[in-house]
Amino acid sequence: MQFDLSAVETATLVFIGTLVFALVITVFLMTASFLALVLVGVGRLAWIVASNVLLGLVHGINYAWDRLVHHASSVELSGDFAGDIAAEIMGQPAPSTGTYPRVVLRDS
C-alpha cells in the first residue's frame, strides 16, 4: 500500500513539518545542555583536584620549613665558631655590612 501525499492538505504537511523541526531543535538543545553540564562538572572536578594538590603542596612546604627551623634552633654551636657568631650578634662590624651588625634569624 502506497501513501499518497497529494491527498494530504498543505496545512497538515506544514504542521507535521513544524513538529519534526521542533523535535530536532529540542534534541539538539537537550544534547547541548547535557554536554554543558558534563563540561562544567569536569571543570569543577579538575579545579577541586588542582586546588587540593596546591593546598597540600603549600602545607607540605610549611611543615618542612617548620621542622627545619625547629631543628636549626635546637642545634648547639660549639668551639670557636660559636664565639664568632656571638661577637657578630653583639654588633661587631663586619666587612661586608659596614658598621651595621649582622642579623641572625632564630626561632622565637
Side-chain angles (χ1 to χ4, degrees), residues 4-92:
D4 186 17
L5 285 179
S6 61
V8 181
E9 289 187 25
T10 306
T12 306
L13 290 176
V14 169
F15 180 72
I16 292 172
T18 303
L19 289 179
V20 169
F21 187 68
L23 179 68
V24 168
I25 289 177
T26 302
V27 168
F28 174 76
L29 288 176
M30 287 174 57
T31 304
S33 62
F34 178 73
L35 288 176
L37 285 173
V38 168
L39 287 175
V40 166
V42 168
R44 180 163 170 81
L45 178 66
W47 174 256
I48 288 172
V49 167
S51 66
N52 283 337
V53 165
L54 288 176
L55 191 62
L57 183 64
V58 167
H59 282 302
I61 290 171
N62 285 342
Y63 176 76
W65 181 256
D66 190 47
R67 297 278 295 165
L68 178 70
V69 167
H70 277 59
H71 176 70
S73 68
S74 67
V75 171
E76 292 293 327
L77 298 175
S78 61
D80 195 30
F81 183 70
D84 292 341
I85 295 293
E88 287 181 17
I89 293 174
M90 298 304 288
Q92 177 181 350

